[in-house]
């Protein structure tokens, strides 16, 4: 086949729409979470073209429908192994869950990244009920409310400063006695008097039945516990790119994100392209993922014309 797409978030389906319209007859393997991270969100209010917002799963269904309209074949299955060829023009092999071998001239990797969670049962229960891993997606729902952000890296600072413009109070919960975030990012915090930082603190429990009403924290030096009343808890403890099956086959950075050439989706493997969060730890938005999905289809089309 000409083009195989792995992963079915906004990047994967947008790549499929463009590839199908270019008559590349793409096949998309959806992976274990068809629709990707947006299927765990409720309202998507920041995707252009939906003035009233749209339900995350509905948006992904519509993207799927749009991809199928132009002839994309959607396989509800996942790829468990890949064997990339290093030679331009030769076929790449991938294997689906049941061991079926598939050969493709071009492959577009759109497997995304997953936000890390603490793993507490009380936290898992309240995902979508006040526990979120995306301030840009969900911050709006906490207007003038008190929220907390867990983490001390660049993402945590970015999330906290974003929320500080919307919420009345933002408490950062940091497990060490210092922030990991760059000095430039840390300086941003000083501009927001409504952000406070609790160092050496960890969250033991998220309180609430259906909605978050607070968190139980522990000072990891003194072992003192306390409760903080909040309505929103934002996790910012990092993301894990979904690149396990590509290890050793393609160039990645030290965190496992696939490296693409600047302003393109080209990887170090001829005919293999990467789009969306799997190659982007900076922006991570549905619309930026969709944008790079489009780029990947165009890059694949150009590559196919060359070989
Ligand atoms: P990081 O890995 O840099 O930071 C994760 C933070 O979460 C750390 O403070 C870490 O603590 C904390 N943490 C991890 N696990 C837990 C846990 N179980 N409980 C409590 N705290 C925990 O991830 P980021 O997402 O912040 O950043 C990823 C990369 O993206 C970085 O390279 C960053 O520079 C970059 N980035 C850059 C941005 C920018 O420049 N605008 C914006 C966003 C990201 P500890 O320090 O103790 O390990």
């Amino acid at each position: 086949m000409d083009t195989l797409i792995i992963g079915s978030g906004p990047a994967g389906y947008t790549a499929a729409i463009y590839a199908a319209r270019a008559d590349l007859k793409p096949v998309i393997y959806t992976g274990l979470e068809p629709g990707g991270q947006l299927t765990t969100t409720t309202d998507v209010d920041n995707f252009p073209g939906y003035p009233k917002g749209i339900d995350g799963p509905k948006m992904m269904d519509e993207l799927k429908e749009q991809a199928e309209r132009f002839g994309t074949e959607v396989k509800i299955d996942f790829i468990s192994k890949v064997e990339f060829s290093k030679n331009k023009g030769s076929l790449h092999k991938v294997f689906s869950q049941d061991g079926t071998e598939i050969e493709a001239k071009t492959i577009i990797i759109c497997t995304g990244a997953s936000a890390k969670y603490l793993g507490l049962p009380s936290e898992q229960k309240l995902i979508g009920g006040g526990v979120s891993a995306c301030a840009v997606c969900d911050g709006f729902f906490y207007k003038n409310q008190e929220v907390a952000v867990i983490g001390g890296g660049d993402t945590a600072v970015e999330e906290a400063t974003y929320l500080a413009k919307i919420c009345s109070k933002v408490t950062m919960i940091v497990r060490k006695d210092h922030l990991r975030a760059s000095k430039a990012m840390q300086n941003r915090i000083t501009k927001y008097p409504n952000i406070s930082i609790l160092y050496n603190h960890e969250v033991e429990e998220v309180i609430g039945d259906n909605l978050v009403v607070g968190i139980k924290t522990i000072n990891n030096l003194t072992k003192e516990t306390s409760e903080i009343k909040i309505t929103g808890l934002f996790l910012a403890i990092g993301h894990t790119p979904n690149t396990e099956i590509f290890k050793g086959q393609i160039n990645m950075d030290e965190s496992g994100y696939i490296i693409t050439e600047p302003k393109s989706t080209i990887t170090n493997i001829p005919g293999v392209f990467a789009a969306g969060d799997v190659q982007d730890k900076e922006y991570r938005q549905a619309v930026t993922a969709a944008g790079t999905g489009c780029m990947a289809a165009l890059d694949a089309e150009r590559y196919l014309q060359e070989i």
Side-chain angles (χ1 to χ4, degrees):
M1 75 175 74
D2 278 340
T3 302
L4 176 87
I5 299 164
I6 311 176
S8 58
Y13 280 132
T14 307
I17 292 165
Y18 274 78
R21 285 172 56 84
D23 209 23
L24 305 185
K25 299 184 179 56
V27 176
I28 183 167
Y29 276 73
T30 60
L32 287 177
E33 196 185 351
Q37 287 188 81
L38 278 188
T39 56
T40 62
T41 313
T42 44
D43 293 327
V44 180
D45 279 333
N46 53 10
F47 201 92
Y50 293 103
K52 295 188 176 74
I54 183 163
D55 182 62
K58 185 160 192 284
M59 182 177 149
M60 296 319 300
D61 279 346
E62 291 190 353
L63 274 174
K64 174 172 176 274
E65 199 182 312
Q66 193 174 354
E68 286 176 326
R69 187 178 137 210
F70 299 108
T72 302
E73 190 182 340
V74 179
K75 298 254 192 199
I76 314 286
D77 199 349
F78 73 94
I79 300 298
S80 54
K81 195 176 139 196
V82 300
E83 282 173 15
F84 293 153
S85 161
K86 290 197 172 67
N87 303 322
K88 190 166 178 175
S90 46
L91 292 166
H92 302 289
K93 282 184 191 164
V94 305
F95 299 85
S96 71
Q97 186 187 5
D98 63 7
T100 306
E101 184 181 309
I102 308 136
E103 289 187 323
K105 290 180 195 159
T106 63
I107 294 189
I108 302 178
I109 300 172
C110 306
T111 47
S114 306
K116 288 184 195 162
Y117 286 87
L118 298 172
L120 300 168
S122 57
E123 167 209 54
Q124 295 298 304
K125 184 183 83 176
L126 288 161
I127 291 175
V131 172
S132 165
C134 178
V136 177
C137 319
D138 299 327
F140 181 77
F141 302 116
Y142 303 92
K143 208 169 180 179
N144 298 325
Q145 298 177 36
E146 298 190 10
V147 299
V149 174
I150 307 178
D154 283 336
T155 303
V157 172
E158 206 159 67
E159 302 276 271
T161 50
Y162 181 87
L163 290 165
K165 291 178 209 140
I166 304 167
C167 307
S168 56
K169 188 175 174 202
V170 180
T171 306
M172 290 183 72
I173 316 277
V174 179
R175 66 180 174 184
K176 286 198 180 131
D177 64 355
H178 61 273
L179 295 173
R180 179 200 284 245
S182 63
K183 283 282 173 284
M185 292 293 279
Q186 291 190 31
N187 286 342
R188 284 196 196 176
I189 299 177
T190 55
K191 294 190 190 125
Y192 296 93
N194 58 340
I195 299 180
S196 59
I197 306 178
L198 283 178
Y199 290 105
N200 290 115
H201 275 68
E202 291 173 46
V203 173
E204 278 199 326
E205 192 188 332
V206 187
I207 308 164
D209 290 328
N210 301 313
L211 293 172
V212 171
V213 294
I215 44 173
K216 195 182 278 177
T217 59
I218 182 164
N219 180 317
N220 55 28
L221 296 177
T222 63
K223 304 295 173 214
E224 205 179 313
T225 59
S226 47
E227 280 187 20
I228 305 173
K229 279 193 182 146
I230 49 156
T231 49
L233 179 67
F234 290 85
L235 277 295
I237 59 172
H239 282 74
T240 312
N242 300 318
T243 51
E244 199 56 44
I245 57 165
F246 308 113
K247 286 215 167 110
Q249 299 264 342
I250 197 163
N251 283 353
M252 298 177 188
D253 70 9
E254 67 292 345
S255 312
Y257 286 88
I258 293 177
I259 297 172
T260 49
E261 285 181 11
K263 293 190 182 164
S264 90
T265 62
I266 295 170
T267 69
N268 67 311
I269 305 293
V272 178
F273 306 91
D277 289 11
V278 76
Q279 52 85 56
D280 168 27
K281 58 183 170 196
E282 196 73 35
Y283 300 103
R284 300 194 194 106
Q285 300 303 301
V287 68
T288 51
T292 53
C294 157
M295 288 162 62
L298 297 177
D299 286 340
E301 192 186 352
R302 272 182 213 139
Y303 173 86
L304 287 165
Q305 278 162 2
E306 283 169 16
I307 60 171

